[in-house]
């Protein structure tokens, strides 16, 4: 009853999960099937070697039948280093020197509701933002608090290293949040939003581009057919809903490798 809208789609199965518990559960199942998780291992580069991919990890070389790069914001950098090294060898054609699209970055900021009764018992999603997001939606976290976000704050296309991005939330962005939220919840009171946290989306397009390939507005999985390196698979642009899609992506990758 707190929503102001012309129409809505009710999804009774939509909700939230404890993402860390989910990852722990998936890890436990993977380990039962022989997988090993190795943390704090820096991938410094790699190259193709016939049917294999050789990774350099903390100064040591690992010979791999298959390498799946799903490093989020760093996927493009790691893959580019491997492809660059591989392209210096005769086993990979120079025509595949690019092979994969570049990732750009879009920051998403969140604000938390304070000093006002929690208005919703379910998640509320407005229409998508044409600038590249799902719109400033209302999310209820595991503690029962209501958060609003994310918005879309494009990072300059000259930024290559995600570590160079300021992760602090600018309180001045609250003005645009009030305007967006009041389109569907007009009872939001002034001064009741407080800056919370932010995240970065990996994007395969940027508004500075003049010609944008619509195919790059979705997840992109680069296989040897794209770049020419046997055994190398690169997951790019896996933004939200990447977590929701993770099991489906895993099944898809298993089929590709098999």
């Amino acid at each position: 009853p707190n929503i102001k809208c012309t129409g809505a789609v009710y999804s009774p199965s939509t909700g939230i999960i404890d993402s860390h518990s989910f990852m722990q559960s998936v890890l436990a199942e993977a380990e039962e099937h022989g997988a090993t998780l190795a943390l704090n291992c820096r991938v410094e580069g790699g190259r193709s070697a016939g049917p294999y991919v050789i990774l350099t990890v903390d100064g040591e070389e690992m010979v791999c039948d298959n390498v799946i790069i799903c490093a989020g914001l760093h996927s493009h950098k790691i893959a580019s280093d491997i492809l660059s090294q591989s392209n210096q060898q005769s086993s990979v054609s120079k025509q595949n020197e690019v092979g994969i699209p570049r990732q750009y970055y879009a920051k998403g900021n969140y604000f938390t509701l304070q000093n006002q009764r929690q208005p919703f018992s379910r998640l509320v999603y407005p229409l998508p933002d044409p600038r590249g997001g799902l719109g400033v939606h209302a999310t209820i976290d595991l503690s029962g608090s209501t958060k609003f976000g994310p918005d879309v704050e494009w990072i300059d296309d000259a930024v290559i290293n995600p570590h160079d991005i300021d992760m602090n939330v600018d309180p001045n962005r609250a003005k645009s949040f009030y305007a967006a939220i009041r389109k569907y919840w007009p009872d939001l009171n002034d001064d009741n939003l407080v800056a919370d946290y932010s995240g970065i989306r990996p994007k395969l397009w940027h508004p500075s581009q003049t010609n944008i390939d619509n195919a790059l507005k979705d997840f992109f999985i680069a296989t040897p057919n794209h770049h020419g390196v046997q055994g190398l698979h690169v997951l790019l642009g896996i933004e939200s809903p990447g977590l929701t899609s993770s099991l489906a992506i895993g099944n898809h990758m298993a089929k590709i490798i098999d």
Side-chain angles (χ1 to χ4, degrees):
N2 292 317
I3 296 295
K4 176 187 176 182
C5 65
T6 301
V9 176
Y10 172 54
S11 175
S13 61
T14 298
I16 61 172
I17 64 169
D18 183 336
S19 58
H20 293 281
S21 295
F22 169 71
M23 289 186 287
Q24 290 173 343
S25 175
V26 172
L27 173 60
E29 187 170 343
E31 290 177 335
E32 288 179 0
H33 290 78
T36 299
L37 174 65
L39 301 174
N40 300 315
C41 298
R42 183 179 179 83
V43 178
E44 299 166 337
R47 67 186 190 280
S48 64
Y52 306 108
V53 176
I54 299 179
L55 293 181
T56 303
V57 181
D58 288 338
E60 301 290 333
E61 289 194 337
M62 298 176 56
V63 180
C64 309
D65 294 318
N66 289 284
V67 171
I68 302 173
I69 300 176
C70 47
L73 303 180
H74 301 273
S75 281
H76 175 262
K77 174 64 169 59
I78 295 174
S80 295
D81 288 346
I82 295 174
L83 292 174
S84 176
Q85 182 64 34
S86 299
N87 283 325
Q88 298 176 20
Q89 305 175 47
S90 59
S91 59
V92 178
S93 171
K94 284 290 182 181
Q95 68 180 4
N96 293 317
E97 192 164 352
V98 179
I100 60 173
R102 176 195 160 180
Q103 289 191 148
Y104 301 90
Y105 305 118
K107 183 178 179 181
N109 302 280
Y110 285 84
F111 282 76
T112 295
L113 180 68
Q114 64 175 6
N115 302 324
Q116 194 167 350
R117 183 178 178 180
Q118 306 303 319
F120 311 121
S121 60
R122 297 186 180 277
L123 312 186
V124 178
Y125 286 78
L127 293 176
D129 188 331
R131 294 173 299 170
L134 295 177
V136 175
H137 53 268
T139 300
I140 305 167
D141 64 22
L142 293 174
S143 68
S145 299
T146 301
K147 299 181 185 297
F148 294 96
D151 62 353
V152 179
E153 180 184 350
W154 283 100
I155 304 301
D156 192 291
D157 61 356
V159 175
I160 301 297
N161 188 346
H163 291 299
D164 294 335
I165 302 173
D166 182 1
M167 298 301 296
N168 293 308
V169 177
D170 181 0
N172 293 322
R173 298 188 71 83
K175 181 178 180 180
S176 63
F177 271 72
Y178 281 105
I181 297 166
R182 283 172 173 157
K183 289 180 180 179
Y184 60 87
W185 184 41
D187 293 332
L188 172 62
N189 296 331
D190 290 339
D191 302 321
N192 280 4
L193 293 180
V194 59
D196 196 328
Y197 67 96
S198 69
I200 304 296
R201 309 174 181 91
K203 293 282 194 178
L204 300 179
W205 63 281
H206 194 276
S208 64
Q209 296 172 298
T210 54
N211 295 312
I212 300 174
D213 184 351
N214 285 328
L216 296 181
K217 289 189 175 183
D218 202 348
F219 300 166
F220 188 87
I221 298 176
T223 67
N225 292 332
H226 296 99
H227 50 66
V229 175
Q230 187 171 339
L232 182 65
H233 309 270
V234 190
L235 276 62
L236 298 160
I238 310 295
E239 55 176 316
S240 178
L243 179 63
T244 308
S245 309
S246 58
L247 296 180
I249 293 174
N251 287 333
H252 181 67
M253 293 307 305
K255 292 178 181 178
I256 289 177
I257 292 176
D258 288 343

